[in-house]
Amino acid sequence: MKVNKKYSCLPAEEKGIHIINIRAIEDIGYDQHESTLLNSLSKNPDADCKYGLYFRDGKRKVDYILVYHYKKSSSGRTLTRRVHHNDSSARSTKQDQPLPGKGVQLEMRESEPHVDYHEDDKRFRREEYEGNLVEAGLELERDEDTKIHGVGFVKIHAPWNVLCREAEFLKLKMPTKKMYQINQTHGLLQKINSVIQKITEPIQPKVAEHKPQTVKRLSYPFSREKQHLFDLSDRDSFFDSKTRSTIVYEILKRTTCTKAKYSMGITSLLANGVYSAAYPLHDGDYEGENVEPNDRKLLCEEWASYGVFYKYQPIDLVRKYFGEKIGLYFAWLGVYTQMLIPASIVGIIVFLYGCATVDENIPSMEMCDQRNNITMCPLCDRTCSYWKMSSACATARASHLFDNPATVFFSVFMALWAATFMEHWKRKQMRLNYRWDLTGFEEEEDHPRAEYEAKVLEKSLRKEHKHKETDKEKLTWKDRFPAYFTNFVGIIFMVGLTFAIVFGVIIYRISTAAALAISSTPSGRSSVRVTVTATAVIINLVVIIILDEVYGCIARWLTQIEVPKTDKNFEDRLIFKAFLLKFVNAYTPIFYVAFFKGRFVGRPGDYVYIFHSFRMEECAPGGCLMELCIQLSIIMLGKQLIQNNLFEIGIPKMKKFIRYMKLKRRRSLDHEEHMKKKQRYEVDYNLEPFAGLTPEYMEMIIQFGFVTLFVASFPLAPLFALLNNIIEIRLDAKKFVTELRRPVAVRAKDIGIWYNILRGIGKLAVIINAFVISFTSDFIPRLVYLYMYSENGTMHGFVNHTLSSFNVSDFQAGTAPNDPMDLGYEVQICRYKDYREPPWSENKYDISKDFWAVLAARLAFVIVFQNLVMFMSDFVDWIIPDIPKDISQQIHKEKVLMVEVFMREEQGKLQMLETWKDKDKKKGENCNNHSPRLSRSHSGSLSSCHSYPLDV
């Protein structure tokens, strides 16, 4: 039908007209009934372009989207600005060439509304920038006739020649026609691998990219001069959507807009509000009826679903869709979770060993034996009374679950586990680099950030104002000194704030313990310590979660005022500040319990006071290790449950709901428009922007610290981390696939600065665990007693050995208990945990020789443990090669094959040249032997004798 031809979804250039809105046709007298008939007979243009995945011609794929806000006229009826930037004259001469964009044809609105200066300036900048994009070879199409009123979209398509040019500039490695066999294992190893593959087949994702490959294509940096090396049979799929969006993003960053007196790339335009968003499109829908198969749908089914939590991740498909940087994060998270399995098993065994031997532990049996009748000194002044040691029986028995000889072995095991994990990840990283063709890849310096360019402009303008001739300006340390000073002061203040909050919680514990001791019943006094500890830890947890969010914002602000030049510099500085602040915030309360609580108490009659009224806290008779375990477990589990999971699920859902309500409020009541299916770029615009991988890495690094730093006090930490990570992987996957806009693919060959942070935590963990075992637990005092003071070579009498005596008549005035007869008898001597001389000694209450013997043993243990474990870790690091042997062989094989390919190419060129020379000689001889009549009658043949094919 002619009608269909006239309004079909073909490119405007081929028709010689612009695509306009049907509503505009009504304004020039088109009949409404005929319009309805026309719409019913013609094809759905949105379906032809796959609802926004292609241009209106249904052929050119949308590689990138720019979004901007505009003000509509009061009548609310504007022409559809689905505009193709082109040059019609150039189009008529060369149909296949990109358009230079000398003139950008734009549809004028029916009535131009009055806009303010800023809106006008933004529109001029957009027009200039988009014109420069067209000159760079990109093809654009504008769409303002969307369901989101006041929001316009610019669709960008990169034609083939632009993709080839940029792929050569970026040195993208692409697969060639040459294929080679991957070395396979033989003999016993091959049989073992086949058995393992059969066993693990049910837990493998049903993804083509995840299947083991026996052949691989040889890869080479793309070159337009060597296109014959590559398989270009299907040009549409040669560059996948991830690569196309990366290429377009590089052009967007490089293209400038000079109307603002200095060059502005896409980052500057986004920062200044000229564009409100820029993103590549998802491949399609991931759920619903009649959804075409795409990588996003496959990822949602085989990766981003809680029902496949037991399966391996399809890392190659993740990399194909999201790029190498995100693929490496999920690969690292998978390796870390995998390595937590053996650590969890050993931790459970250590915990079960403590449960099995709790009834055989002599010190806890002595503490629970009421026949010993050990009377302990009061825990606070005046209001607290004397108490029986047997009342702390439950705490002593619980302490043995975590404070036993097996925990020392577990600390050594976890130190070696951390070293093995780092080596295993390096090997896995090398395998991924080989598989993803990243060998030899080096990151180039990125484009300057928008803020840096603005700061440089401001500096240059100041010098121009002073009439000074200046070369190209850059920011020096003098320009950044105020920012550096602010950073230093700000970080010191934040660390001091953390310490002050911890100190405040200490005051709360001391005052609450005294208050509960006054008001509690005799049965409730035994649970005072547990009640105070639990409530204080919950307060710490709430403060940590709040300060984590605050410190994240402060770290970003401190980094912004430094004005780093590139995005990589910005990310590294942000990671360092955020990690420093969050590390201090998360671990300061735990460090206090582990190394400071009970160390500066003093003794009865000479206690240490805070503000002259609050006595410092004491550890329980069984030691502070049990309290450290409670503190660590509540903070770790609380952070993982509340911050990592609930926040990650709840906050994106809430933001999405708020955006939906805003759009619903702004949406028109037009039924036809309401029923219209949204375009792909409209759906993606409503998703949450991608904010980087820093928060994802940060929560895992903090968790890694919980697993390794204080593992001697909580052997079940790896188990809880494993359970959290199984959920975390699928939660992050679902967020990336369904909740976030598709991020720009970024090439990377490693996890960057995070690897150095992990190594630092691993080294620090050895030192901290050595001090926890020697100073926090009773492991060393037990060994000293067993080999130096025990009369029968057993632990009988150990509790009595660790307690000192105090004469109640030596209490300071006003500190003795108000009710000395609370136990039913008069107390003359009370006991307290310390190594001091008895009151009947000449040097009463002085530190005894036993204290120095135990201290020497503790320091010796720290030195021996630290050096031994460090040596073993370095030995593991040395004995495991960073690059697997088979991968190094494959890399060498690739180099040899590439040399062979080029040698054959050179030989082929030489043979072709020799063949041409031989043909030239033969044709010349044949032409010379012809008669003149024959020459005249076959003049065309004569000319053809000297013409040979030059196009090969």
Side-chain angles (χ1 to χ4, degrees), residues 479-742:
D479 301 318
R480 290 193 173 103
F481 179 76
Y484 289 153
F485 182 75
T486 306
N487 270 257
F488 177 76
V489 174
I491 290 174
I492 294 296
F493 176 76
M494 292 299 116
V495 172
L497 176 64
T498 304
F499 289 162
I501 291 173
V502 172
F503 183 74
V505 174
I506 294 170
I507 300 297
Y508 161 80
R509 293 159 68 117
I510 296 170
S511 57
T512 306
L516 288 176
I518 299 170
S519 59
S520 294
T521 60
S523 59
R525 288 175 191 159
S526 58
S527 60
V528 167
R529 190 182 296 274
V530 176
T531 304
V532 171
T533 300
T535 55
V537 172
I538 292 172
I539 293 172
N540 274 326
L541 173 63
V542 173
V543 170
I544 286 171
I545 291 173
I546 295 172
L547 287 184
D548 255 3
E549 302 301 320
V550 174
Y551 286 169
C553 298
I554 291 175
R556 179 169 291 276
W557 176 73
L558 290 175
T559 309
Q560 286 173 346
I561 64 174
E562 281 187 39
V563 198
K565 184 175 182 180
T566 63
D567 286 332
K568 189 175 186 308
N569 292 341
F570 181 88
E571 187 179 17
D572 288 346
R573 296 185 185 193
L574 174 62
I575 288 170
F576 174 75
K577 294 182 185 67
F579 173 74
L580 177 63
L581 293 175
K582 292 190 177 186
F583 182 89
V584 172
N585 182 40
Y587 295 113
T588 300
I590 302 172
F591 269 94
Y592 163 72
V593 175
F595 302 120
F596 296 99
K597 185 178 178 181
R599 309 291 171 194
F600 311 102
V601 178
R603 60 169 180 82
D606 189 21
Y607 283 115
V608 176
Y609 291 92
I610 304 174
F611 305 132
H612 304 286
S613 56
F614 296 107
R615 244 171 64 180
M616 290 294 291
E617 290 184 285
E618 297 181 46
C619 287
C624 276
L625 197 68
M626 184 59 198
E627 190 171 339
L628 177 62
C629 173
I630 295 173
Q631 185 105 0
L632 184 65
S633 59
I634 292 179
I635 291 178
M636 178 183 176
L637 297 177
K639 271 182 65 68
Q640 290 183 167
L641 180 65
I642 298 172
Q643 193 173 24
N644 298 355
N645 293 333
L646 291 183
F647 279 15
E648 286 191 14
I649 296 172
I651 291 178
K653 292 284 185 185
M654 187 172 63
K655 288 182 178 178
K656 189 176 180 181
F657 178 75
I658 292 172
R659 282 198 304 271
Y660 171 76
M661 294 304 294
K662 285 182 179 178
L663 292 173
K664 191 175 181 180
R665 196 177 296 118
R666 293 163 56 187
R667 191 173 293 164
S668 173
L669 297 176
D670 186 2
H671 180 70
E672 180 185 349
E673 188 173 342
H674 181 71
M675 295 302 293
K676 184 174 63 177
K677 183 177 178 180
K678 278 187 177 182
Q679 303 288 329
R680 177 79 261 154
Y681 43 85
E682 293 179 81
V683 177
D684 286 3
Y685 177 69
N686 291 331
L687 298 177
E688 188 74 14
F690 175 64
L693 288 170
T694 300
E696 314 298 334
Y697 273 114
M698 187 67 70
E699 66 183 69
M700 288 296 107
I701 297 297
I702 296 295
Q703 185 205 80
F704 182 77
F706 283 122
V707 169
T708 54
L709 291 179
F710 296 94
V711 76
S713 63
F714 190 40
L716 296 179
L719 174 63
F720 289 115
L722 173 64
L723 297 176
N724 174 80
N725 287 5
I726 291 173
I727 301 172
E728 181 73 23
I729 290 175
R730 305 304 164 182
L731 185 65
D732 283 349
K734 196 171 186 65
K735 183 171 69 174
F736 272 83
V737 174
T738 65
E739 300 287 343
L740 298 179
R741 292 175 192 161
R742 188 175 183 178

Side-chain angles (χ1 to χ4, degrees), residues 346-358 360 400-401 404-407:
V346 177
I348 292 171
I349 293 172
V350 170
F351 179 73
L352 293 177
Y353 170 80
C355 295
T357 58
V358 68
E360 302 172 4
H400 179 73
L401 301 179
N404 56 68
T407 56

